[in-house]
Amino acid sequence: MRRRQVLQALAGTMLPCTLAACDSKEPDVVVVGAGAAGLSTARTLLGAGLSVIVLEAEGRIGGRAFTETKTFGFPYDRGCHWLHHASTNPWIAYGLNNGFDVHQDNGESFILEDGRAYQGKKLNEFEEALASILESAWNNSRGKPDAPFSSYFDDENVWSPTIESMIVNDWYGLELSDISTEYIMLEDEDNDWLCAQGFGSLVAHYGRNLPVRTSVEVRRIDWSGTGVKVHTTDGLLRARAVVVTASTGVLASDQIAFLPSLPTQKVESFNAFPMGSYNHIALRYSNDVFELGPNAYVVPFATDKREAGLLSNANGRNLVMIYVGGDLSWELERMGVDEAISYGVDYIDTLLGTDTRKNFVNGTFTLWGQNRWTLGSYAAAAPGGLSFREVLRQPVGNRIFFAGDACHTEGSSSAARAYETGIEAAASVLNAIRV
């Protein structure tokens, strides 16, 4: 069987939470974090007959997949939105099998320049320039020590500012100087899908019957004796093993103490995959301000400055989602929600060269860098950091296991890949416990 077939087979043997598993002070396994990785870990272990407790510091499940309806009166994804790499994405099958409106993203892409949207020749030129820059980076970096992507980026190409904007704002949330070239070269994304009810709703449904304790912080994991002792704000739990799915940002910040301390290389691996800042400025209008139809992906042509890309008329709701990453995103987080919304409204007016403010209804801004339970949006390898991925994935003492988007061996971070690492971690736990 292929690797993904094995993962799907493991995930298919899932049992609902039992009362004993939920109430026990000494489960077989404690899972830290109720995001995609933590939930898939728990479901797989429960399906194998182990008792499990999932601890989540937030007051909800889903992690960085979070759909809310309060702001706009309809589902809005504050975190994960697209179901990337659809050919292998397990969330698509789950959504289709559980009554969700999961569908291929049929929105079109446009280049925006001087208030006009272009496809055809202009879009082809952009795509060719992007392919050329990536190919050049690949050829020039082969056989050399990993370096920042900025080392191989072609600044002379007329499309370079636009491509830099996309890579920083739309893709990774890190500046070109902070991203590993080897990491970018791993990417193999294919077509994207969407969930009308929200990706976060899909993940929440998946975890709805699991033994999750929300609003419980893990303060210390003691692995000095037999098994593990997990110290929390809700008391002490003893278990045979623990699976940690907290973000690399949280792990690097020492919010969770380990006794004894983790090996030096393990700590270095957290810093080798820093969290980028990637946020949405979401603006609702009374009309489709770009007039490009639902889910139109708009790439503003940039000259000498960074230009944020955006999704126009998301899900046909007249919602514009402006993607900001890297330094711009961190700056807007420092400014606050109201200032970020004002920035976004002004930005749309500037792009279109018209007064759209009269049609503006309301907006929001996501602030993932200020969320103390994530400290960023998702992880990417720093220059020279990709070699630490195997260290990041490896268990410690055969009792502390790790899973999450940064632990996957292929391409960039996503909820689909986090899901797969959870199943892999569960398999490792089962092997260790059953020895």
Side-chain angles (χ1 to χ4, degrees):
M1 294 177 73
R2 294 172 58 199
R3 172 175 173 273
R4 283 198 171 87
Q5 290 175 314
V6 173
L7 294 177
Q8 293 299 335
L10 277 170
T13 58
M14 296 179 287
L15 298 177
C17 156
T18 65
L19 212 54
C22 290
D23 291 343
S24 173
K25 290 290 186 182
E26 296 191 10
D28 291 316
V29 183
V30 170
V31 177
V32 181
L39 296 177
S40 66
T41 300
R43 289 189 73 155
T44 307
L45 292 173
L46 286 167
L50 297 187
S51 59
V52 179
I53 291 177
V54 184
L55 303 176
E56 172 54 53
E58 292 263 24
R60 57 173 179 80
I61 65 174
R64 283 162 278 165
F66 174 34
T67 304
E68 55 100 342
T69 59
K70 182 178 179 180
T71 302
F72 300 114
F74 53 79
Y76 162 60
D77 281 317
R78 299 191 69 88
C80 308
H81 180 64
W82 274 295
L83 285 74
H84 292 306
H85 26 269
S87 62
T88 59
N89 192 317
W91 294 111
I92 292 175
Y94 182 84
L96 293 173
N97 292 334
N98 286 276
F100 286 85
D101 179 4
V102 180
H103 56 274
Q104 188 169 4
D105 173 20
N106 293 318
E108 298 186 77
S109 297
F110 299 86
I111 298 295
L112 189 74
E113 185 176 13
D114 297 328
R116 293 185 60 189
Y118 297 90
Q119 291 181 306
K121 182 174 181 292
K122 185 78 73 172
L123 187 60
N124 290 337
E125 287 177 2
F126 167 72
E127 292 172 344
E128 290 170 3
L130 174 60
S132 176
I133 284 178
L134 293 176
E135 182 180 5
S136 175
W138 166 257
N139 292 332
N140 292 326
S141 64
R142 293 181 70 180
K144 298 179 181 178
D146 188 26
F149 188 65
S150 55
S151 302
Y152 301 105
F153 190 76
D154 179 7
D155 290 318
E156 302 302 319
N157 192 305
V158 68
W159 287 100
S160 292
T162 306
I163 293 170
E164 180 179 357
S165 298
M166 172 183 282
I167 292 173
V168 175
N169 289 320
D170 297 19
W171 288 6
Y172 296 105
L174 290 168
E175 298 298 312
L176 298 185
S177 58
D178 297 327
I179 310 173
S180 155
T181 300
E182 288 184 1
Y183 184 79
I184 289 182
M185 294 300 108
L186 282 177
E187 190 49 64
D188 61 349
E189 293 226 354
D190 48 19
N191 62 308
D192 298 328
W193 283 44
L194 294 167
C195 178
Q197 293 88 352
F199 198 163
S201 297
L202 190 65
V203 176
H205 184 274
Y206 174 82
R208 69 197 185 283
N209 292 324
L210 294 179
V212 181
R213 296 181 183 175
T214 56
S215 301
V216 176
E217 302 175 30
V218 174
R219 297 287 176 81
R220 184 168 73 255
I221 296 174
D222 184 344
W223 56 291
S224 58
T226 302
V228 292
K229 295 186 285 290
V230 182
H231 297 261
T232 81
T233 54
D234 193 36
L236 173 66
L237 295 175
R238 300 176 185 271
R240 300 165 70 185
V242 60
V243 180
V244 180
T245 71
S247 76
T248 55
V250 168
L251 291 171
S253 73
D254 294 328
Q255 288 189 44
I256 301 174
F258 292 86
L259 182 67
S261 299
L262 295 175
T264 300
Q265 267 207 323
K266 174 63 79 170
V267 176
E268 290 175 351
S269 74
F270 303 151
N271 293 293
F273 281 81
M275 298 292 286
S277 178
Y278 169 85
N279 283 296
H280 304 154
I281 305 173
L283 309 174
R284 185 186 181 193
Y285 291 86
S286 59
N287 65 319
D288 178 5
V289 291
F290 283 87
E291 299 180 347
L292 298 175
N295 298 315
Y297 180 53
V298 178
V299 180
F301 178 76
T303 52
D304 60 350
K305 63 178 181 178
R306 192 77 52 80
E307 298 282 357
L310 57 92
L311 185 69
S312 174
N313 196 9
N315 291 331
R317 301 277 197 171
N318 297 330
L319 186 70
V320 177
M321 297 171 66
I322 304 172
Y323 304 122
V324 293
D327 290 347
L328 173 60
S329 182
W330 288 117
E331 180 182 352
L332 288 172
E333 287 211 33
R334 288 190 292 270
M335 292 167 60
V337 173
D338 290 342
E339 288 295 324
I341 293 171
S342 179
Y343 172 92
V345 173
D346 290 342
Y347 181 62
I348 299 300
D349 278 359
T350 300
L351 288 180
L352 293 175
T354 58
D355 180 15
T356 61
R357 192 178 302 271
K358 61 181 181 296
N359 297 321
F360 173 65
V361 179
N362 66 322
T364 191
F365 182 57
T366 50
L367 298 172
W368 282 106
Q370 293 184 25
N371 184 319
R372 62 176 296 211
W373 311 122
T374 63
L375 296 179
S377 308
Y378 41 70
L386 192 59
S387 60
F388 281 91
R389 181 172 258 171
E390 280 305 312
V391 178
L392 181 61
R393 290 163 49 83
Q394 291 303 311
V396 175
N398 226 22
R399 282 168 286 166
I400 307 176
F401 299 81
F402 294 84
D405 55 304
C407 292
H408 202 278
T409 58
E410 301 173 18
S412 60
S413 299
S414 71
R417 288 168 173 164
Y419 170 100
E420 291 185 345
T421 67
I423 298 173
E424 290 178 337
S428 297
V429 170
L430 291 170
N431 288 335
I433 284 181
R434 290 174 174 173
V435 170

